[in-house]
Amino acid sequence: MKRPTIHDVAAAAGVSRGTVSRLLNGDKYVSPAARVAIERAISETGYVVNRAARSLVTQRTGSVAMVLSEPHQKLFEDPNYSTLIRVAIRMLAERDMSLVMMLAGDEGDRERVVRYVRGGHADGVLLVSTHAGDPLVEALTSGPPAVSCGAVIGHENVIPYAAADERLGARQMTEYFVSQGRKRIAMITGPMDTPGGIQRLEGFAEVLGRKATTKLIAHGDWTQASGERAMTGLLERAPDIDAVFVASDLMAAGALAALRAAGRRVPDDVAVGGFDDSSVALSTHPPLTTIRQPLADMAQETIRLLFALLDGAKHVDPVILPTELVIRDSA
């Protein structure tokens, strides 16, 4: 069966081939009547746009590269990434654009990402979980428009971003522990070359001041295993801990496992608080008190910033969204 062409659409719509071409290429100056007729003709003929041919004319690929600067296993372990991907796919689909998922967890991956993007295969780049000093960032700043979900350390004024108010969330959790009469409050941070790692620790320290000693602070890498290791280390150094703020729900699940192994009751002996309000927070035992960051809204705002750049904006301001304390049974 012959594949329908743009000529078939034009004939069915009763308009010229040029009018159909202008509509398909995003021209705003097509009359409403012609637009309706062409869209009906496309539906009736079953015409499918030839993206390769269109890109030769528009210099657009119709795709955006989402670049996750983490090892591939974190993509499947952390539920936050699925939220970002789901929102991005939905919003891009509304513009008839596709999402290309790319991992940049090591040097080889980064080189492939740079070749792909600089080769003109993506109209824009969405950065996720980028670490300070990542050479990938410098390599991408001279390419197509790039935005980030979360700030990129050192490039806050170069790469637009949408983020949760990390310090606010950390203060909310720490202040809650203090209000509950907890005296020895520890923290498990995220990686200290990420905004979430740095700013959540800063919010914690802003509340506790001198009580936020290095003895009561351990570091994780956002994985559940790292939360378990960090909690075990904290209990060895400071067995009188009565609360711990963990910088992600996934790491908090690991901390809960370590506390169970040590015979500590939650929250009677040690209160535990997380950060994200991801699906993990409802699957732990007990359910996790946590900080809700509006991840879906962050993803929407990040894509909105990218759309603005793709539409010709020279500058867009970052978007910072508030967090919320969600109290459950762990604290």
Side-chain angles (χ1 to χ4, degrees):
M1 182 177 178
K2 181 185 175 184
R3 180 177 177 180
T5 68
I6 192 172
H7 298 284
D8 297 323
V9 173
V15 300
S16 70
R17 179 189 179 283
T19 301
V20 177
S21 179
R22 288 201 307 276
L23 176 67
L24 294 177
N25 290 324
D27 193 324
K28 298 177 182 178
Y29 301 105
V30 175
S31 72
R35 183 180 300 272
V36 169
I38 293 168
E39 289 174 349
R40 183 184 299 118
I42 288 173
S43 177
E44 291 174 351
T45 62
Y47 174 74
V48 177
V49 175
N50 185 326
R51 286 194 176 275
R54 179 196 278 187
S55 68
L56 291 174
V57 177
T58 65
Q59 300 299 303
R60 291 287 182 91
T61 67
S63 66
V64 167
M66 175 183 279
V67 181
L68 174 63
S69 297
E70 298 287 357
H72 70 275
Q73 61 267 26
K74 289 190 180 181
L75 174 64
F76 301 102
E77 182 183 26
D78 193 326
N80 290 332
Y81 298 136
S82 64
T83 299
L84 296 176
I85 293 169
R86 184 172 64 251
V87 171
I89 289 174
R90 175 179 57 78
M91 292 186 68
L92 290 170
E94 292 172 358
R95 286 202 172 196
D96 196 24
M97 299 181 74
S98 302
L99 182 72
V100 178
M101 187 71 215
M102 307 193 75
L103 300 179
D106 58 34
E107 184 176 352
D109 288 342
R110 287 191 290 271
E111 291 176 355
R112 281 187 288 274
V113 170
V114 171
R115 286 198 303 270
Y116 184 87
V117 173
R118 286 187 170 177
H121 301 295
D123 297 328
V125 178
L126 171 59
L127 297 169
V128 181
S129 194
T130 306
H131 295 252
D134 188 339
L136 176 68
V137 177
E138 288 290 347
L140 293 179
T141 52
S142 60
V147 297
S148 177
C149 191
V152 178
I153 296 174
H155 291 78
E156 293 90 346
N157 297 322
V158 179
I159 298 178
Y161 64 92
D165 192 331
E166 315 269 15
R167 291 186 187 85
L168 171 63
R171 289 198 302 269
Q172 288 170 323
M173 181 62 74
T174 311
E175 287 169 352
Y176 174 71
F177 283 151
V178 172
S179 73
Q180 297 299 299
R182 304 290 175 167
K183 303 298 184 184
R184 291 280 281 173
I185 305 172
M187 181 178 180
I188 298 173
T189 79
M192 296 307 292
D193 59 354
T194 65
I198 294 170
Q199 294 173 16
R200 293 172 199 183
L201 176 58
E202 288 175 346
F204 172 78
E206 285 170 6
V207 175
L208 293 184
R210 293 181 179 179
K211 292 182 179 179
T213 65
T214 55
K215 184 178 181 180
L216 296 176
I217 296 171
H219 303 290
D221 63 7
W222 302 131
T223 64
Q224 183 169 336
S226 74
E228 187 168 357
R229 287 193 301 270
M231 189 72 248
T232 299
L234 284 170
L235 290 173
E236 291 172 354
R237 295 200 303 271
D240 57 342
I241 288 171
D242 62 3
V244 58
F245 167 42
V246 191
S248 80
D249 292 347
L250 197 56
M251 291 195 299
L256 288 169
L259 288 165
R260 282 194 299 272
R264 304 298 179 90
R265 298 169 299 165
V266 177
D268 303 67
D269 301 326
V270 182
V272 178
F275 199 111
D276 289 330
D277 196 29
S278 66
S279 58
V280 173
L282 292 173
S283 65
T284 59
H285 181 71
L288 195 61
T289 291
T290 189
I291 295 298
R292 176 178 296 153
Q293 61 169 336
L295 203 62
D297 292 340
M298 287 165 54
Q300 289 180 27
E301 290 298 323
T302 304
I303 299 296
R304 185 185 62 78
L305 294 175
L306 182 59
F307 284 163
L309 295 175
L310 292 175
D311 290 341
K314 300 300 182 183
H315 173 80
V316 290
D317 293 320
V319 177
I320 308 297
L321 299 169
T323 56
E324 177 187 356
L325 174 67
V326 179
I327 299 173
R328 297 194 180 97
D329 297 339
S330 69

